[in-house]
Amino acid sequence: MSETSIQALVAHLPANPDTVPVMNPANGKKIYDLPQMSVAQVESAIAAARVAQRDWAKTSVAERSKLLVELHALLLEDETKLLDLLQLETAKSRAHAFEETAGAIASASYYARIAPKYLSRRKTKPGVPVLTRTYVDQVPVGVVGIITPWNYPLALTMLDVLPALIAGNAVIQKADNQTALTVLFARHLAIEAGIPAELWTVVVGDGETVGNAITDNVDYVAFTGSTATGRKVAERAARRLIGCSLELGGKNPLIVLEGANIKRAAEIAIAGAFGSAGQLCVSIERVYVPNRIKDEFLAEIAKRTQSLTVGRSNDFSMDIGSLTGYNQLQRMMGFIDDAVSTGATVVAGGKQLTETGPYFYSPTVITNVNQNARMYRQEVFGPVVDVEGYEDLDDAIKMANDTDYGLNASVVGPEREAIKVAEKLNAGSVNINEGFRATFASMETPMGGFKSSGQGRRNGPGGLLRFTEAKAIGVARGAIKLPSRAKDYNRMAPLMRMMLKRLK
């Protein structure tokens, strides 16, 4: 993207003397300087969004759906620009950028299609048939705050912003500094599609300062990020009695069953573990295989891991890109060093690829991780997978569930048995003979976690309805006057008893 194009996107942000340099992770060079917003500027943006939302809520769902259909067309038209931007800011491979872009584009058509059905007035069964009618309207909550991370800036933006908008809300979105351009370009396309600019405002700045300003002033907050920060967001939202949805961390297991094809299982494991260089909340971090085949599996997964191509490319020639920054690299290497110091063995990888770029790291397979190692329980969020053995299947299930998290899990093996195992795993999504894409790619399938992996769900009808309030409307038809005095029940009580018997 040219410097002129970058400045045109950044021009939508308030001009501020305080800026931060945004670096290209692939080569360590500065892309541009990003202005940082103050609390007062965030509050002003929310106030303007609140005014714009009142008129937006009066538009029909059919009108809003048409705008999302137009946005879908524009996203397809500018797919190459979106891929280039994602790679510029995240340094992920072209293949993983494509997966993200495809999901983002699909969200526009999906919500355009289902919104008229799920946002229309719904008739409910009245408590007093014949004498009353009851309905439910789904009304917008008002202004929605959306806080998105750097790892999937386009997909996570569209999966939260578009359902919030089509439900009749205005959106204040905090983009991560590292990936603000991707978010700003998505917003630019939405405005081109006809969505009023004031309805979707992007804010940037210090995470805690800007994030708190959003949570303290909006009517609902959707947060994606770490569990530690998610707890703070939930506590802050609870004090104001506003709703929130939280998609947080994971320590996602994969169980290989007896009878599984070892080569296929190893390929599924590396695809599930190393997507976007492991910087994905649903990526596989732990693999459990029968002790009987552990050595054979380790040899197979090591061979396949070592065959992966790592580097920079604007085509599909590279399997894995870079980590997205210095902090990510240091954090991941710290996990590996700690595990090795407590007895773990690196089977493949374990090397920084400085000749390729500042934050490239070889995909890594490790085994015999000690329970005292930080990696044993904490989310690594990098291209590292831990392979351990199990004696019987109950042990494997127990180890898979022995975590504070519960976001994603996977089972590889004969389908019928794998489904039975899936039913026993404590995770918001379980993929059979896949790492995460079977559920992750489905717009109709709810996405979210158990336990410390969050609350609420994105995607599916629930991903839309979370941005609404249910308003009940009851109508007394006047055929027979409902009782208002105690004596009226002399006549009404026998009738009600008869009706209750009939409706049992």
Side-chain angles (χ1 to χ4, degrees):
M1 177 170 276
S2 68
E3 185 175 342
T4 302
S5 299
I6 290 172
Q7 293 307 317
L9 288 176
V10 177
H12 292 291
L13 300 172
N16 275 339
D18 294 333
T19 63
V20 295
V22 179
M23 315 303 287
N24 180 344
N27 57 24
K29 296 179 180 179
K30 187 172 81 170
I31 306 172
Y32 71 110
D33 290 307
L34 178 68
Q36 299 291 276
M37 294 175 65
S38 67
V39 170
Q41 288 172 324
V42 175
E43 290 175 344
S44 176
I46 293 172
R50 199 170 293 285
V51 173
Q53 188 270 334
R54 292 173 192 143
D55 287 334
W56 179 244
K58 296 174 185 176
T59 63
S60 69
V61 178
E63 290 177 69
R64 298 178 216 152
S65 293
K66 287 179 183 177
L67 297 180
L68 258 62
V69 170
E70 179 62 25
L71 174 58
H72 179 265
L74 292 176
L75 289 165
L76 280 172
E77 185 179 320
D78 280 318
E79 180 191 46
T80 299
K81 289 182 182 178
L82 290 166
L83 290 170
D84 290 343
L85 262 178
L86 278 172
Q87 289 195 280
L88 175 69
E89 293 190 304
T90 68
K92 62 179 64 182
S93 72
R94 195 73 166 186
H96 297 142
F98 176 80
E99 286 185 351
E100 177 174 355
T101 303
I105 294 172
S107 68
S109 60
Y110 174 74
Y111 283 113
R113 186 174 70 253
I114 74 161
K117 173 183 177 181
Y118 288 98
L119 296 178
S120 62
R121 175 168 290 178
R122 177 169 53 91
K123 184 182 290 187
T124 57
K125 290 183 178 180
V128 188
V130 181
L131 303 186
T132 61
R133 296 194 306 266
T134 50
Y135 308 92
V136 174
D137 286 345
Q138 299 295 149
V139 300
V141 295
V143 177
V144 173
I146 293 174
I147 302 173
T148 46
W150 49 264
N151 61 320
Y152 269 68
L154 182 61
L156 295 177
T157 289
M158 294 309 200
L159 294 176
D160 285 348
V161 170
L162 296 189
L165 287 175
I166 203 168
N169 301 287
V171 168
I172 300 292
Q173 181 186 6
K174 183 200 173 298
D176 189 274
N177 287 337
Q178 179 61 39
T179 49
L181 287 179
T182 297
V183 175
L184 287 167
F185 187 63
R187 175 184 178 272
H188 163 74
L189 293 179
I191 294 168
E192 271 197 15
I195 295 172
E198 301 81 5
L199 287 173
W200 180 2
T201 302
V202 176
V203 298
V204 291
D206 174 73
E208 186 172 355
T209 301
V210 173
N212 287 347
I214 289 174
T215 307
D216 290 346
N217 290 278
V218 297
D219 305 304
Y220 185 99
V221 61
F223 171 82
T224 304
S226 72
T227 295
T229 303
R231 292 185 194 278
K232 296 176 182 178
V233 172
E235 290 168 3
R236 210 169 185 99
R239 286 200 293 269
R240 297 188 57 231
L241 295 179
I242 64 169
C244 68
S245 53
L246 309 167
E247 199 255 273
L248 309 177
K251 189 67 180 171
N252 310 306
L254 181 153
I255 297 176
V256 179
L257 303 178
E258 291 278 4
N261 181 296
I262 291 178
K263 292 182 178 181
R264 184 185 182 200
E267 190 67 22
I268 290 169
I270 63 172
F274 302 138
S276 288
Q279 299 169 119
L280 173 60
C281 54
V282 293
S283 66
I284 298 301
E285 295 210 356
R286 302 175 285 151
V287 176
Y288 298 108
V289 300
N291 282 324
R292 183 182 62 80
I293 62 169
K294 181 184 175 184
D295 289 344
E296 184 181 358
F297 181 85
L298 278 171
E300 186 65 37
I301 194 173
K303 179 180 70 175
R304 290 172 181 270
T305 298
Q306 290 162 348
S307 72
L308 293 169
T309 55
V310 183
R312 293 177 284 170
S313 175
N314 61 357
D315 57 25
F316 296 125
S317 60
M318 292 295 166
D319 295 311
I320 298 176
S322 172
L323 289 157
T324 302
Y326 175 81
N327 290 339
Q328 279 301 110
L329 176 67
Q330 293 300 311
R331 182 174 186 273
M332 187 202 63
M333 290 195 301
F335 274 113
I336 294 173
D337 291 344
D338 174 69
V340 171
S341 71
T342 54
T345 301
V346 173
V347 179
K351 298 177 183 178
Q352 186 177 355
L353 306 176
T354 52
E355 70 281 3
T356 306
Y359 312 127
F360 285 88
Y361 198 89
S362 58
T364 300
V365 179
I366 196 167
T367 190
N368 299 326
V369 173
N370 190 289
Q371 291 191 22
N372 295 322
R374 291 189 294 121
M375 182 188 293
Y376 188 83
R377 292 197 176 277
Q378 295 181 35
E379 182 180 35
V380 177
F381 217 65
V384 183
V385 63
D386 171 23
V387 178
E388 304 295 342
Y390 69 84
E391 197 56 43
D392 63 62
L393 189 52
D394 287 341
D395 286 339
I397 295 169
K398 183 178 179 179
M399 288 188 290
N401 287 334
D402 183 21
T403 173
D404 291 335
Y405 297 106
L407 189 58
N408 180 47
S410 177
V411 186
V412 177
E415 184 175 321
R416 183 174 296 180
E417 184 182 0
I419 290 174
K420 290 179 181 178
V421 174
E423 292 169 352
K424 298 176 183 178
L425 295 175
N426 299 327
S429 60
V430 183
N431 291 266
I432 307 298
N433 294 321
E434 233 301 312
F436 59 79
R437 290 172 296 186
T439 56
F440 194 59
S442 170
M443 283 301 308
E444 189 73 23
T445 303
M447 177 193 176
F450 293 2
K451 300 185 282 188
S452 293
S453 287
Q455 65 181 38
R457 296 291 184 270
R458 65 159 55 95
N459 296 354
L464 170 67
L465 295 177
R466 62 183 162 144
F467 298 121
T468 67
E469 296 277 17
K471 177 191 285 187
I473 300 172
V475 181
R477 306 186 71 177
I480 300 176
K481 185 172 75 72
L482 294 176
S484 58
R485 304 292 181 101
K487 63 182 182 181
D488 295 339
Y489 284 88
N490 288 322
R491 181 171 53 90
M492 185 60 69
L495 177 61
M496 289 298 296
R497 288 193 194 98
M498 182 182 70
M499 292 175 64
L500 288 170
K501 288 179 180 179
R502 282 181 169 272
L503 296 172
K504 67 180 180 179

